[in-house]
């Protein structure tokens, strides 16, 4: 056992990298669910975003354009879900599951020919002075822009939901769509916008994996992170800061347990391997002992006839 | 992932309706643990499947289901394949062992071939490749090339096959470099590119400059390429797309000749339950081109070792070798028997850490 081989600075830095895809996908889904829509297609939107972002980044040589394309790709797939559930009034669970299947297949199709291609590397933040600081510089100020974008989105979502009129309307639609409708709010329009936002976030989360975290394209490379994001939203009781905490916990424990394994710590590896799931769920369940609950209209179909 | 199979099952059920009119064709099914585009393990099995189609043309029909989790789901997929009229089913991951045996008992007329397992029945054969022969060559190159004397090893699950690989690589790295140390990380997955890349990054952060992997995707090589100045090896497939980056050689699984032979045996009615474990000699394990990053004399030694193994003159597990606790495993000149290798659950002397149960 040799704990000195673990560099805490690099550990904290890679923790943020491991947490970001989950954070992006989960915060997008949080907004969708706050609007009363259950979209189980996160995995499909992530993988579609991963390949759209990858393909555009490789073809244009600009990773930022890739991220934009990923957001677009995720949103386009989400639009399909919106059409099915909001206009055709299809079942949300079935449509969401279908979306995941479709996304996995579509991404494999688009991804033909991109295997083994190396994407252009992503620019890291480099603020003279700040990024050169001994410890904090590496932990806080030398990441790729997406890490900050993730944090920014969480902050913006929290602020919007809590302090703005738009947030209040979104929550009203999610809590009681009939009342919101009676008040004259466009329930469907609001929900479609939320779904598109969720798709764009999931797409960016996927692109983070294919452009930065791995970086390469492999079929099925999101390997279930979308499902973890869905679970995270529930365990975080639909609160943005808890999503952030949960994502960092999950990403953090994942990286820490790998570090502990490599350092040869005498904890049985089985426990280390299950620790990210256990610790994240445990912490969030304890925190949700307060009276937070799901949006009341979550998953229910809305039609203006009633 | 479950949903992929749901849909596939539906597709298979559809196939059932049309299956009746194609009785003269042999239907060959494949169950894969990852996607066919993983660039590694499953990719090579699928190449074997395509080789069957190329060889027999109209006389066979192949079907496959990818990304099937190891567990009850696998049983369902196999059952569906058998119901759908498959006469021969290849199940290509260690964790499919019990599901294969269970399903095979229900379909005595269907032949099953399980990769890397050890349970057989009248209609279940097992087959595997002696990957550890390739690991010996990897270890030789790794031991020679590491400058930090730390080799990172990404394990999937602590099963004998993976432990054998670690031991074989370690023995041959130590032989050429007494100071070399292995850092081993268990990913507990065969295929999860993000996790595999994380594991590689962690090992690199902790000083490893050679990464060996026993997981299925090319993600560790991508992480190594990103870090720079790290070398790695293709696993299960050549992964030559990283040849001008970190990849200096590879272990290639060539399943095609075996798959073709077994399919032919079913067609001829000569199929019997067998246990195949072939290595470099018969060609089931290939060594991918060793790149110029490797010094010429190391490359020559590695190729000489490959030839010696192929000719049966050298066995990677040749004594004197001690177990991790210092007890004698193999005396001078003694060669490990297949039984011990197949059930290997110990590290050799010099490796630190314990094997998870």
């Amino acid at each position: 056992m040799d704990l000195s081989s673990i560099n805490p600075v690099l550990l904290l830095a890679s923790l943020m990298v491991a947490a970001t895809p989950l954070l992006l996908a989960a915060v997008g889904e949080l907004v969708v669910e706050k609007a009363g829509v259950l979209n189980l297609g996160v995995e499909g939107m992530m993988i579609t975003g991963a390949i759209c972002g990858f393909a555009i980044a490789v073809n244009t040589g600009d990773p930022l354009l890739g991220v934009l394309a990923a957001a677009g790709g995720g949103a386009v797939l989400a639009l399909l879900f919106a059409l099915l559930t909001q206009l055709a009034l299809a079942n949300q669970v079935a449509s969401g599951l279908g979306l995941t299947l479709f996304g996995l297949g579509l991404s494999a199709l688009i991804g033909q020919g991109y295997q083994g291609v190396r994407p252009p590397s992503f620019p890291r933040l480099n603020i003279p002075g700040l990024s050169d600081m001994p410890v904090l510089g590496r932990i806080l100020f030398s990441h790729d822009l997406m890490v900050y974008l993730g944090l920014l989105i969480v902050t913006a979502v929290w602020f919007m939901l809590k302090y703005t009129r738009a947030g209040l309307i979104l929550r009203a639609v999610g809590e009681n769509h009939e009342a919101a409708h009676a008040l004259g709010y466009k329930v469907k329009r609001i929900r479609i916008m939320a779904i598109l936002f969720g798709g764009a976030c999931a797409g960016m989360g996927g692109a983070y994996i294919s452009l930065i975290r791995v970086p390469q394209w492999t079929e099925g490379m999101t390997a279930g992170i979308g499902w973890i994001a869905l679970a995270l939203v529930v365990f975080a009781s639909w609160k943005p800061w808890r999503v952030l905490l949960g994502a960092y916990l999950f990403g953090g424990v994942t990286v820490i347990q790998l570090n502990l394994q490599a350092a040869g710590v005498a904890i049985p590896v089985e426990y280390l391997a299950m620790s990210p799931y256990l610790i994240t769920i445990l912490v969030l369940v304890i925190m949700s002992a307060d009276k937070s609950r799901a949006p009341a209209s979550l998953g229910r179909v809305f039609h203006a006839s009633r | 992932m479950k949903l992929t199979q749901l849909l596939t099952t539906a597709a298979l059920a559809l196939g059932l309706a049309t299956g009746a009119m194609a009785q003269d064709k042999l239907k060959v099914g494949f169950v894969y643990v990852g996607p066919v585009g993983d660039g590694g393990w499953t990719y090579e099995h699928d190449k074997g499947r395509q080789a069957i189609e190329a060889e027999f043309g109209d006389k066979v029909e192949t079907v496959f289901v990818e990304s099937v989790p190891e567990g009850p789901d696998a049983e369902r997929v196999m059952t569906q394949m058998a119901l759908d009229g498959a006469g021969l089913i290849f199940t290509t991951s260690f964790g499919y062992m019990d599901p294969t045996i269970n399903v095979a008992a229900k379909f005595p007329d269907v032949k099953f071939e399980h990769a890397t397992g050890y349970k057989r029945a009248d209609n279940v054969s097992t087959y595997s490749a002696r990957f550890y022969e390739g690991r010996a060559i990897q270890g030789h190159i790794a031991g020679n090339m590491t400058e930090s004397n730390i080799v990172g090893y990404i394990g999937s699950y602590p099963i004998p096959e993976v432990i054998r690989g670690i031991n074989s690589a370690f023995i041959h790295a130590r032989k050429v470099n007494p100071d070399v140390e292995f850092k081993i990380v268990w990913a507990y997955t065969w295929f999860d590119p993000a996790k595999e890349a994380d594991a590689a990054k962690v090992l690199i952060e902790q000083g490893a400059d050679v990464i060996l992997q026993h997981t299925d995707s090319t993600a560790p090589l991508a992480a190594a390429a990103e870090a720079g100045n790290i070398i790695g090896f293709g696993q299960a497939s050549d992964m030559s797309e990283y040849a001008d980056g970190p990849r200096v050689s590879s272990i290639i699984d060539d399943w095609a000749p075996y798959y073709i032979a077994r399919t032919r045996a079913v067609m001829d009615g000569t199929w019997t339950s067998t246990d195949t474990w072939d290595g470099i000699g018969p060609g089931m394990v290939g060594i991918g081109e060793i790149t110029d990053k490797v010094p010429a004399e190391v490359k020559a030694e590695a190729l000489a070792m490959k030839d010696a193994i192929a000719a049966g003159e050298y066995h990677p597990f040749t004594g004197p070798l001690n177990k991790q606790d210092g007890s004698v495993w193999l005396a001078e000149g003694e060669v490990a028997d297949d039984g011990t290798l197949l059930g290997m659950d110990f590290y050799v002397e010099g490796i630190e850490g314990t094997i998870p149960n």
Side-chain angles (χ1 to χ4, degrees):
Chain A
M1 166 164 163
D2 180 20
L3 281 181
S4 61
S5 60
I6 301 178
N7 182 338
V9 174
L10 288 178
L11 177 74
L12 282 169
S14 45
L15 177 162
M16 295 177 80
V17 170
T20 299
L22 185 58
L23 179 66
L24 281 165
V27 79
E29 178 67 11
L30 180 136
V31 170
V32 179
E33 294 193 14
K34 270 289 184 188
V37 180
L38 183 65
N39 185 354
L40 296 182
V42 182
E43 179 85 4
M45 300 186 298
M46 280 186 93
I47 192 84
T48 305
I51 184 56
C52 288
F54 191 86
I56 297 298
V58 166
N59 288 326
T60 63
D62 184 351
L64 291 172
L65 269 183
V67 172
L68 275 182
V76 167
L77 204 63
L79 183 65
L80 188 65
F81 175 82
L83 293 177
L84 283 171
T85 58
Q86 302 306 307
L87 299 183
L89 301 185
N91 179 292
Q92 292 181 6
V93 172
S95 310
L97 295 177
L99 200 67
T100 290
L101 290 177
F102 178 62
L104 285 169
L106 181 71
S107 62
L109 181 69
I110 303 175
Q112 300 291 328
Y114 285 102
Q115 267 139 16
V117 179
R118 202 174 159 188
S121 64
F122 213 85
R124 275 168 187 270
L125 189 67
N126 192 0
I127 310 168
L130 280 181
S131 303
D132 303 331
M133 282 197 303
V135 173
L136 282 180
R138 180 69 191 93
I139 299 176
L140 293 180
F141 301 110
S142 328
H143 287 286
D144 51 85
L145 295 171
M146 294 286 284
V147 167
Y148 305 104
L149 184 69
L151 293 172
L152 195 73
I153 290 179
V154 173
T155 315
V157 165
W158 164 76
F159 183 82
M160 190 209 65
L161 286 176
K162 193 162 168 113
Y163 292 111
T164 67
R165 187 172 176 79
L168 192 65
I169 296 170
L170 184 90
R171 281 189 289 148
V173 167
E175 291 296 339
N176 190 333
H177 48 218
E178 270 135 28
H181 175 67
L183 285 169
Y185 295 123
K186 310 278 185 208
V187 172
K188 280 183 185 167
R189 191 181 300 168
I190 291 162
R191 284 191 169 163
I192 289 174
M193 289 195 306
I195 292 168
L196 293 182
F197 175 78
C201 284
M204 286 192 289
Y208 193 84
I209 298 177
S210 64
L211 287 177
I212 302 167
R213 191 167 166 201
V214 175
Q216 65 169 12
W217 165 250
T218 309
E219 265 178 47
M221 70 182 309
T222 47
I225 295 177
W227 297 107
I228 295 171
L230 271 165
L232 186 60
V233 174
V234 177
F235 284 117
S237 335
W238 295 270
K239 292 191 163 74
W241 293 124
R242 289 193 192 169
V243 164
L244 179 71
L245 174 75
Y248 272 62
L249 258 180
F250 189 84
V253 181
T254 304
V255 173
I256 289 170
Q257 69 100 354
L258 290 172
N259 264 291
L260 290 177
Q261 277 198 43
V265 174
I267 304 172
V269 177
E270 302 85 320
Y271 295 120
L272 287 175
M274 69 170 105
S275 59
Y277 304 90
L278 267 184
I279 294 178
T280 310
I281 290 176
L282 208 66
V283 169
L284 292 174
V285 162
I286 291 170
M287 283 184 66
S288 62
D290 59 8
K291 54 186 191 317
S292 44
R293 52 172 189 82
S297 293
L298 184 60
R300 285 171 50 205
V301 171
F302 172 75
H303 189 261
S305 58
R306 288 182 62 194
Chain B
M1 289 296 153
K2 259 181 194 159
L3 302 151
T4 325
Q5 289 115 44
L6 261 179
L7 198 76
T8 324
T9 320
L12 285 174
L14 260 178
L16 189 64
T18 54
M21 57 189 210
Q23 277 308 323
D24 49 335
K25 273 189 182 183
L26 173 66
K27 192 171 225 173
V28 186
F30 288 82
V31 185
Y32 298 143
V33 72
V36 293
D38 70 354
W41 176 258
T42 299
Y43 174 73
E44 287 297 322
H45 283 286
D46 200 55
K47 268 169 67 178
R49 180 188 66 82
Q50 290 164 13
I52 291 178
E53 291 211 319
E55 175 79 14
F56 298 105
D58 286 347
K59 284 184 273 177
V60 294
E61 182 189 349
T62 64
V63 289
F64 67 89
V65 182
E66 52 185 353
S67 300
V68 178
E70 299 176 326
D73 255 354
E75 213 163 312
R76 202 173 41 71
V77 171
M78 290 170 206
T79 305
Q80 197 58 51
M81 271 187 183
L83 285 175
D84 189 28
L88 174 64
I89 297 176
F90 291 92
T91 59
T92 63
S93 188
F94 179 78
Y96 297 152
M97 182 161 64
D98 289 332
T100 304
I101 295 292
N102 294 345
V103 176
K106 284 185 249 166
F107 296 94
D109 296 335
V110 179
K111 316 290 186 229
F112 290 82
E113 296 265 352
H114 177 236
T116 70
Y118 53 80
K119 291 188 183 167
R120 279 171 292 281
D122 284 345
N123 59 335
V124 182
S125 285
T126 53
Y127 63 101
S128 184
R130 295 180 187 263
F131 309 113
Y132 66 86
E133 296 182 349
R135 292 281 173 198
I137 294 159
Q138 273 189 1
H140 182 82
I141 297 174
N144 273 302
M145 290 193 67
T146 178
E147 279 165 18
S148 65
N149 289 332
I150 300 175
V151 172
Y153 204 112
I154 306 170
S156 46
Y157 295 96
I159 57 173
E161 181 200 324
V162 179
I163 295 166
R164 249 183 346 255
I166 296 174
N167 281 333
S168 177
F170 180 79
I171 291 167
H172 295 86
R174 263 284 159 97
K175 229 176 225 173
V176 293
N177 181 351
D179 297 323
V180 79
E181 232 186 283
F182 270 34
K183 278 186 190 286
I184 300 159
V185 162
W186 298 96
Y188 276 93
T189 180
W190 287 112
F191 175 81
D192 183 344
K195 200 171 198 177
E196 293 168 48
D198 283 350
K201 279 187 231 169
V202 161
L203 290 165
I204 292 166
E205 281 168 13
Q206 293 203 17
D209 61 354
V210 179
I211 298 291
L212 305 183
Q213 65 173 104
H214 203 133
T215 49
D216 296 351
S217 88
T218 47
L221 285 174
E226 191 73 4
N229 270 334
I230 309 288
I231 66 163
F233 295 83
Q235 160 66 7
S237 187
D238 197 28
M239 301 190 179
S240 56
E241 58 268 33
Y242 287 96
D244 54 359
R247 176 209 161 282
V248 294
S249 181
S250 59
I251 297 178
I252 305 169
D253 309 343
D254 186 5
W255 306 109
Y258 181 77
Y259 285 175
I260 289 171
R262 300 304 282 172
T263 306
R264 181 165 289 131
V266 172
M267 288 174 161
D268 299 348
T270 55
W271 191 97
T272 50
S273 173
T274 53
D275 172 21
T276 304
W277 201 20
D278 284 345
I280 293 177
M284 200 179 255
V285 175
I287 300 299
E289 199 208 340
I290 300 173
T291 61
D292 294 340
K293 264 195 183 172
V294 179
E297 72 271 18
V298 176
K299 180 174 175 178
E301 287 161 12
L303 290 176
M305 187 193 285
K306 177 188 162 191
D307 292 341
I309 292 174
E313 293 155 6
Y314 176 65
H315 191 291
F317 291 105
T318 303
L321 285 174
N322 291 346
K323 293 188 180 179
Q324 193 182 28
D325 57 14
S327 62
V328 176
W329 173 33
L330 296 172
E332 175 84 45
E334 201 185 340
V335 168
D337 62 285
D338 280 359
T340 315
L341 290 181
L342 283 169
M344 189 174 259
D345 58 355
F346 58 87
Y347 284 147
V348 293
E349 192 172 38
I351 301 182
E352 281 176 32
T354 48
I355 301 173
N357 297 314

